[in-house]
């Protein structure tokens, strides 16, 4: 160090370059010099760090300790980091550094609270972010505390995660140094993160803003789900706004910071109004222009004043992707349709499901058609623009075989399939359960990567065979039996007789048992003093951590019993799918939606589902007695026989669909273990990225791991595929392709059997299929998946692409249900009738056309949804 090397610099000093002030400090200096709203502060330069290290003779000791650490042996890196931390802690800060820091700190004010942030020379770069590798200390007061925080920041250059990260990026230990930024702490009323481009699609014409109450650390640490806004750069208009339930906020305390509960009136209130969002967007555009590239910003608001506390280049941003407009068909003359199992796949398929899951369901479909003596396609399931479709392009030869097989199929094969449906379903369920249990017993720590993949494949293939026992027996038997009974009963029905539906409600099923389980747990919680508030403040992430922590009971018996009961609930019902793609988290992976239902069930507005079921059962039994008391005859005999068949099949349908994903927790566990190994090898960013590889790529990676060969880095590929899926998700897939002709087959038009589709006239009304009777006017709430469940408020109209059995708890909150996909015998319809709420299904466009939050009138008798006019 020479006398020309400054130990401390003002925040806006032009000498605060990357080499002098580190990446974070150089960026703040640049913004401060441009008179952007950056909190005042100063830099403790890299010269001060080097002076400290040289004065204490630490350099050779540090390099020798790091050289002995092996990135493939995490324990050795932890040991090296601990040894270096001890070296830093036992050394005094040289007097010349102490004096310079004290003078700079005094210039900020009297004992002002500051943030002390590490700023390494190899961070916040366009090619490497190094985010989270070094430390930050908040709400530091007094010169002594500031100096202690600076010393801890210096030591954080050598934490285990920083050593490992640099080793994997090929950065030599003697190449790095560390500065420290000391800034006045903004006592934020609200804070968040902003990207000056859409990180999902790569679109540069908008910004994405995350916003939460309090300090921004709650967002960075993942302790709160923030509001998310997409705002147009051109005029500051909000393009999309997702308001979350913000349970926690980080605030200043006398001792530092802590997370506290957000006041009830703020939890579901928007953090940023439109004017503030526009102001923040304009400021972000200025910063992007200053740097000449897309930026990742951290911002804060205090007493109506806006501050920027950090800015770094976005290191991974996909190329701009527009939603697909052309639906290029595998066969230009082919016909394709979304139905049956594809209705359980409402989103673009993950690459791993598209290449492992979909082929398994396709093979099971071919096997079932072969068993029935019907012609089948080589690839009955295909992917078009990311979405799954059935190929229904029958060739002349296939049609000829169909005509030959038809008499036998109708006379013998179909009746036998319908008659034996319950037995075949039970046998299939037993096999599925057995295979899942066997593969779940595999010890991931001892299994090879290839064994993990093959075990997951075995469960997926059995899941596909299980679904075909439903598709090839239980589901058609349910639809046919209910339809025939309704037709027969109509010939006998008198004016005051109950509707045919009355005879089919009140039966037990897995989705309804799950609802009753949550209700009973909620009522029990409210008998335990203090427990409701504690549960109310839980996030899904917190709950998962507690369920995996054997010491989470903290000596409180009621708390211990709650965790035990919730764990039992997840063990029984946590495998019910929101989306059949195994890349989608299950309730057992993300219990947050259950917490919302649990909170609602604890309020006076919640009705006991046991009472509802008992009432439906009593009405059914009363209607049965009246029907049985009719004059004997052929019509009564036939109606009762058809009714017994329908009553046998209806519960089987709900139980069968609820168990489609019973093997998915095992599949996800096996694949995520494989993902963790690929993360450790530097091939993926997170274990969940494993689902964004194709099965052939994953097979190759598994073989490389097993043979100790280098694994291809797929992080950029995964980012590109995520961006592609985000663009595909912005469009509604047609239910038949080609548009206008895909629903015609053998000279017949099947369009009446499909959802209404996008060809509806635009306007205030959306048409669909009557699913459950009744009429209600209430706010529409667009719910795309479990991450949106918290947005549904009691009394809202639930609007979704489709609902699966895992969505059942939401029906307790909703005043009506509207879906893009489904019909009068779908899950949505059956459950809506159980809850006595109107349902309009198969609209094809409700999630696109209905304005989120706007009042709509749902007419379940007419099958229409109308946007209410003021």
């Amino acid at each position: 160090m020479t006398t020309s090397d400054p130990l401390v610099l003002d925040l806006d000093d032009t000498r605060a370059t990357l080499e002098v002030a580190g990446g974070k400090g150089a960026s703040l200096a640049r913004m401060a010099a441009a008179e952007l709203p950056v909190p005042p502060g100063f830099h403790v330069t890299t010269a001060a760090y080097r002076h400290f290290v040289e004065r204490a003779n630490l350099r050779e000791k540090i390099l020798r300790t790091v050289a002995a650490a092996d990135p493939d042996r995490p324990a050795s890196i932890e040991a090296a980091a601990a040894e270096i931390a001890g070296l830093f802690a036992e050394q005094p800060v040289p007097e010349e550094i102490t004096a310079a820091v004290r003078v700079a700190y005094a210039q900020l004010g009297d004992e002002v609270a500051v943030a002390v942030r590490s700023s390494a020379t190899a961070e916040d770069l366009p090619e490497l972010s190094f985010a989270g590798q070094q430390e930050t200390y908040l709400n530091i007061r007094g010169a002594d505390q500031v100096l202690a925080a600076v010393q801890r920041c210096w030591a954080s250059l050598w934490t285990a995660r920083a050593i490992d990260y640099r080793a994997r990026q090929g950065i030599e230990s003697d190449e790095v140094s560390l500065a420290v930024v000391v800034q006045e702490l903004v006592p934020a009323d609200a804070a968040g993160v902003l990207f000056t481009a859409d990180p999902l699609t790569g679109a540069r014409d908008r910004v994405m803003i995350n916003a939460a109450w309090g300090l921004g650390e709650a967002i960075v640490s993942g302790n709160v789900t923030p509001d998310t806004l997409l705002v147009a750069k051109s005029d500051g208009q909000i393009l999309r706004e997702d308001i979350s339930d913000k349970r926690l906020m980080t605030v200043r305390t006398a001792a530092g910071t802590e997370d506290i509960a957000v006041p009830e009136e703020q939890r579901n209130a928007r953090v940023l109004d439109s004017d503030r969002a526009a102001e923040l967007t304009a400021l972000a555009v200025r910063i992007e222009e200053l740097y000449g590239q897309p930026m990742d910003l951290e911002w804060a608001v205090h007493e109506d004043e806006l501050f920027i506390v950090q800015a770094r280049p976005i290191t991974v941003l996909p190329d701009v992707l527009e939603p697909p407009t052309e639906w290029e068909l595998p066969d230009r003359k082919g016909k394709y349709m979304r139905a049956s199992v594809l209705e359980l796949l409402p989103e673009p398929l993950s690459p791993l499901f598209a290449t492992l899951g979909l082929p398994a369901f396709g093979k099971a479909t071919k096997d079932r058609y072969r068993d029935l003596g019907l012609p089948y396609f080589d690839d009955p399931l295909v992917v078009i623009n990311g979405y799954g479709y059935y190929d229904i392009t029958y060739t002349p030869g296939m049609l000829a075989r169909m005509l030959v097989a038809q008499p036998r199929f109708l006379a013998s094969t179909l009746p036998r399939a319908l008659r034996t449906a319950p037995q075949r379903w039970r046998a299939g369920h037993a096999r599925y359960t057995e295979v899942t249990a066997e593969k779940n017993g595999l010890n991931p720590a001892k299994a090879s990567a290839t064994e993990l993949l093959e075990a997951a494949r075995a469960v997926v293939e059995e899941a596909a065979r299980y679904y075909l026992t439903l598709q090839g027996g239980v589901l058609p038997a349910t639809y046919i039996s209910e339809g025939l009974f309704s037709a027969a009963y109509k010939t006998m029905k008198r004016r005051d007789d109950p509707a045919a539906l009355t005879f089919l409600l009140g039966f037990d099923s897995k989705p309804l048992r799950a609802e009753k389980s949550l209700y009973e747990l909620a009522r029990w919680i409210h008998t335990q003093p203090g427990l409701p508030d504690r549960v109310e403040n839980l996030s899904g992430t917190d709950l998962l951590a507690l369920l995996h922590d054997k010491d989470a009971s903290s000596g409180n018996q009621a708390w211990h019993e709650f965790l035990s009961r919730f764990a039992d609930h997840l063990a029984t019902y946590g495998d019910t799918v929101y989306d059949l793609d195994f890349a989608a988290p299950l309730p057992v992976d993300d219990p947050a939606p259950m917490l919302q239902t649990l909170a609602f069930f604890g309020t006076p507005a919640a009705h006991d589902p046991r009472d509802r079921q008992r009432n439906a059962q009593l009405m059914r039994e009363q209607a049965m007695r009246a029907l049985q008391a009719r004059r004997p005859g052929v019509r009564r005999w036939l109606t009762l026989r058809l009714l017994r068949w329908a009553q046998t099949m209806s519960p089987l349908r709900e139980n069968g669909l609820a168990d489609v994903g019973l093997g998915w927790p095992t599949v996800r566990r096996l694949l995520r273990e494989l993902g963790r190994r690929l993360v450790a090898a530097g091939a993926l960013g997170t274990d969940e990225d494993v689902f964004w590889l194709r099965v052939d790529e994953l097979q190759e990676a598994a073989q490389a791991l097993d043979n100790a060969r280098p694994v291809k880095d797929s992080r950029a590929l995964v980012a590109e595929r995520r961006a592609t899926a985000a663009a595909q998700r912005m469009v509604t897939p047609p239910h038949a392709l080609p548009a206008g002709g895909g629903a015609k087959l053998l000279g017949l038009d099947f369009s009446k059997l499909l959802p209404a589709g996008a060809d509806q006239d635009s306007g205030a009304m959306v048409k669909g299929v009557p699913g459950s009777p009744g009429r209600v006017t209430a706010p529409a709430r667009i719910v795309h998946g479990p991450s949106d469940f918290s947005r549904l408020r009691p009394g809202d109209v639930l609007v979704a692409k489709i609902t699966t059995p895992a969505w059942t708890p939401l029906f307790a909150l909703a005043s009506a249900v509207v879906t893009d996909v489904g019909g009068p015998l779908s899950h949505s319809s059956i459950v809506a009738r159980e809850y006595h709420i109107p349902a309009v299904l198969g609209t094809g466009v409700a999630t696109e056309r209905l304005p989120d939050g706007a009042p709509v009138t749902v007419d379940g008798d007419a099958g229409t949804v109308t946007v209410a006019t003021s």
Side-chain angles (χ1 to χ4, degrees):
M1 189 186 79
T2 68
T3 55
S4 63
D5 295 328
L7 301 174
V8 171
L9 290 174
D10 290 339
L11 192 68
D12 60 354
D13 196 305
T14 56
R15 291 175 292 172
T17 61
L18 175 66
E19 294 77 14
V20 173
K24 188 181 290 92
S27 181
L28 287 167
R30 189 173 184 177
M31 289 191 292
E35 298 185 347
L36 289 160
V38 176
F42 60 92
H43 308 275
V44 182
T45 68
T46 54
Y49 168 81
R50 291 193 299 272
H51 183 47
F52 171 83
V53 169
E54 291 169 6
R55 177 69 62 87
N57 295 315
L58 295 181
R59 184 175 183 275
E60 294 305 322
K61 295 177 183 178
I62 292 171
L63 294 179
R64 187 168 56 249
T65 303
V66 172
D70 182 354
D72 293 326
R73 292 189 297 116
S76 71
I77 295 181
E78 293 287 350
E83 182 177 344
I84 295 172
L87 293 174
F88 273 81
E90 64 190 20
Q91 302 297 326
V93 178
E95 180 58 34
E96 51 270 39
I97 298 177
T98 299
V101 169
R102 288 185 183 278
V103 170
Y105 177 66
Q107 291 175 349
L108 295 179
D110 184 22
E111 298 287 295
V112 66
V114 294
V116 182
R117 303 178 188 274
S118 305
S119 180
T121 53
E123 70 170 2
D124 289 357
L125 308 177
E127 65 276 9
L128 292 173
S129 76
F130 276 75
Q133 300 306 311
Q134 280 80 49
E135 298 297 337
T136 290
Y137 300 95
L138 302 179
N139 202 24
I140 303 299
R141 290 178 180 272
D144 290 342
Q145 285 195 26
V146 170
L147 283 163
V150 168
Q151 192 168 0
R152 293 197 298 273
C153 283
W154 285 339
S156 75
L157 184 61
W158 305 102
T159 61
R161 65 179 181 270
I163 294 171
D164 181 70
Y165 190 91
R166 287 194 296 267
R168 295 189 183 282
Q169 297 297 332
I171 296 174
E172 297 295 333
S173 295
D174 59 357
E175 294 178 357
V176 295
S177 186
L178 190 91
V180 178
V181 179
V182 180
Q183 270 186 296
E184 185 174 328
L185 181 67
V186 178
D189 305 312
V193 177
L194 181 149
F195 293 90
T196 64
D198 188 334
L200 298 179
T201 66
R204 269 63 164 183
D205 63 344
R206 63 198 64 186
V207 305
M208 176 182 282
I209 305 173
N210 287 160
W213 301 115
L215 302 178
E217 301 308 306
I219 294 179
V220 176
S221 63
N223 289 337
V224 66
T225 301
D227 294 350
T228 299
L229 292 78
L230 280 177
V231 185
K233 288 180 178 178
S234 58
D235 56 8
Q237 292 297 309
I238 296 175
L239 304 175
R240 179 178 172 183
E241 182 179 41
D242 294 327
I243 307 302
S244 70
D245 182 357
K246 299 166 286 292
R247 296 171 179 266
L248 295 175
M249 60 193 295
T250 303
V251 298
R252 292 168 54 178
T253 66
T257 65
E258 69 172 346
D259 290 340
I260 65 170
V262 173
E264 187 65 31
E265 66 274 11
Q266 287 182 264
R267 277 181 47 170
N268 294 291
R270 58 172 45 87
V271 174
L272 296 177
D273 61 24
S274 57
D275 290 340
R276 179 67 75 194
E279 178 188 1
L280 183 55
T281 299
L283 185 57
V285 170
R286 283 181 58 196
I287 294 172
E288 184 178 59
E289 290 173 348
L290 176 67
Y291 285 83
Q293 65 187 104
M295 299 295 290
D296 168 1
L297 314 177
E298 293 182 24
W299 58 270
V301 174
H302 174 59
E303 293 183 349
D304 210 35
E305 190 173 358
L306 186 60
F307 297 91
I308 301 298
V309 297
Q310 193 166 324
R312 65 174 71 88
I314 299 177
T315 55
V316 178
L317 191 64
D319 293 333
V320 179
L321 294 175
E322 296 296 331
T325 57
E326 297 295 330
W327 291 80
E328 186 174 343
L329 307 183
D331 178 350
R332 286 188 303 170
K333 297 182 179 180
K335 296 181 182 296
Y336 304 90
M337 189 176 295
R338 282 176 60 77
S340 191
V341 69
L342 299 174
E343 294 181 351
L344 299 177
L345 294 161
E347 301 289 342
L349 306 181
S350 68
L352 190 54
F353 188 87
T355 55
L356 174 61
L358 204 66
F361 281 83
K363 182 179 183 303
T365 300
K366 288 198 299 183
D367 292 344
R368 183 59 185 154
Y369 272 51
R370 186 185 296 114
D371 293 342
L372 293 174
L374 298 175
Y376 53 86
F377 299 95
D378 289 336
D379 295 306
L381 295 171
V382 298
V383 179
I384 305 176
N385 272 356
Y387 292 90
Y389 278 84
Y390 275 103
D391 186 342
I392 56 171
T393 315
Y394 283 90
T395 64
M398 294 175 70
L399 293 176
R401 292 196 299 274
M402 178 82 78
L403 291 174
V404 170
Q406 190 175 40
R408 181 180 178 184
F409 175 77
L410 294 175
S412 174
T413 308
L414 179 61
R416 184 173 65 253
L418 298 177
R419 186 174 62 253
T420 61
Q423 299 94 312
R424 288 187 294 106
W425 170 74
R426 293 186 185 96
H429 190 277
R431 286 194 305 272
Y432 188 16
T433 303
E434 180 182 350
V435 171
T436 298
E438 176 191 343
K439 302 307 178 184
N440 194 49
L442 185 69
N443 186 341
K446 296 182 179 180
S448 69
T450 301
E451 286 172 338
L452 292 172
L453 178 56
E454 291 311 307
R457 188 196 302 271
V459 178
V460 171
E461 290 175 349
E462 197 57 53
R465 285 190 284 270
Y466 168 77
Y467 181 80
L468 264 293
T469 68
L470 293 173
Q471 188 189 68
V474 171
L475 298 181
T478 304
Y479 303 152
I480 292 171
S481 63
E482 291 181 4
L484 291 176
F485 162 70
S486 297
Y489 178 67
K490 187 176 181 180
T491 67
M492 301 183 63
K493 187 177 180 298
R494 299 167 182 168
R495 174 180 292 183
D496 296 330
D497 285 345
L501 176 65
T502 306
F503 293 87
L504 302 174
L505 299 181
F507 290 102
D508 209 16
S509 65
K510 184 175 179 178
L512 296 183
R513 288 194 297 275
E515 180 196 8
K516 289 184 286 187
S517 172
L518 276 181
Y519 182 85
E520 289 163 4
L521 178 56
R523 306 316 291 183
W524 173 81
I525 288 171
H526 280 262
T527 66
Q528 308 301 309
L531 191 56
D533 289 339
R534 192 171 181 183
V535 174
E536 179 81 7
N537 290 319
L538 272 179
S539 69
T541 303
D542 293 337
L543 181 55
L544 277 181
L546 290 168
L547 291 173
H548 290 95
D549 181 359
K550 295 181 180 179
D551 299 321
S553 60
S554 304
N556 184 308
Q557 182 58 36
W559 183 244
H560 176 76
E561 186 170 348
F562 161 71
L563 293 177
S564 177
R565 287 190 178 201
F566 201 94
D568 289 344
H569 178 87
L570 285 180
T572 306
Y573 305 109
D575 58 14
T576 312
V577 300
Y578 300 115
D579 182 320
L580 189 57
D581 191 329
F582 45 59
L586 301 159
V588 72
D589 302 307
D590 179 13
M594 292 183 179
L595 289 175
Q596 182 205 5
T597 305
L598 203 60
F600 172 70
F601 279 160
T603 67
H607 298 294
D608 190 336
R610 297 166 298 188
D611 291 341
R612 187 189 66 244
Q613 186 177 6
R614 277 193 295 267
N615 291 337
Q617 182 179 353
L618 289 173
M619 293 176 63
R620 185 186 76 232
E621 292 172 349
Q622 183 179 357
M624 285 284 296
R625 287 193 295 271
L627 183 59
Q628 290 167 341
R630 295 284 182 89
R631 180 189 305 175
V634 173
R635 279 195 303 169
R636 191 196 73 157
W637 171 84
L638 178 60
T639 303
L640 287 172
R641 179 161 183 158
L642 291 171
L643 176 57
R644 284 192 293 272
W645 185 25
Q647 290 179 337
T648 298
M649 299 311 304
S650 186
L652 283 187
R653 182 257 313 279
E654 290 302 293
N655 285 322
L657 287 175
D659 272 345
V660 166
L662 73 84
W664 269 201
T666 297
V667 169
R668 285 179 54 79
R669 183 175 68 89
L670 294 169
L671 292 174
R672 289 180 66 186
E673 170 59 27
L674 188 47
R676 277 187 283 274
R677 297 185 189 184
L678 293 173
V679 170
L684 296 177
T686 72
D687 58 356
E688 289 282 341
D689 287 347
V690 72
F691 300 111
W692 294 87
L693 298 179
R694 293 171 52 88
V695 69
D696 57 321
E697 297 164 344
L698 190 54
Q699 182 75 55
E700 181 181 342
Q703 291 171 355
L705 288 173
D706 291 341
N707 292 286
R709 297 197 312 266
V711 183
K712 179 182 177 182
D713 186 344
S714 298
R715 286 173 290 189
L717 179 65
V718 166
E720 179 183 343
R721 287 175 177 173
R722 285 185 180 274
T724 298
Q728 292 167 338
R729 199 173 290 116
M730 295 171 67
V731 301
T732 299
H735 292 279
L737 289 171
K744 294 179 180 178
L745 185 65
L746 301 178
L748 301 176
D749 188 351
F750 291 89
S751 59
K752 298 296 183 183
L753 303 178
L754 296 175
D759 58 349
Q760 293 193 44
D761 293 335
S762 59
M765 179 183 290
V766 171
K767 299 177 182 178
V769 178
S772 180
R775 182 184 174 94
V776 70
T777 299
R781 194 64 60 202
I782 311 298
V783 178
H784 293 289
S787 61
D788 290 338
F789 279 17
S790 61
R791 301 183 63 244
L792 186 74
R793 297 288 169 265
D796 283 351
V797 173
L798 170 60
V799 183
K801 289 184 178 180
I802 188 172
T803 69
T804 67
W807 293 58
T808 299
L810 291 189
F811 285 67
L813 285 73
S815 61
V817 177
V818 179
T819 66
D820 289 349
V821 177
L825 297 176
S826 67
H827 169 266
S828 307
S829 175
I830 300 302
V831 179
R833 295 173 190 179
E834 293 275 2
Y835 280 83
H836 303 289
I837 58 176
V840 175
L841 314 172
T843 64
V845 295
T847 56
E848 276 190 281
R849 294 275 183 87
L850 298 179
D852 186 61
V856 297
T857 298
V858 181
D859 189 331
D861 296 286
T864 60
V865 186
T866 307
V867 179
T869 56
S870 56

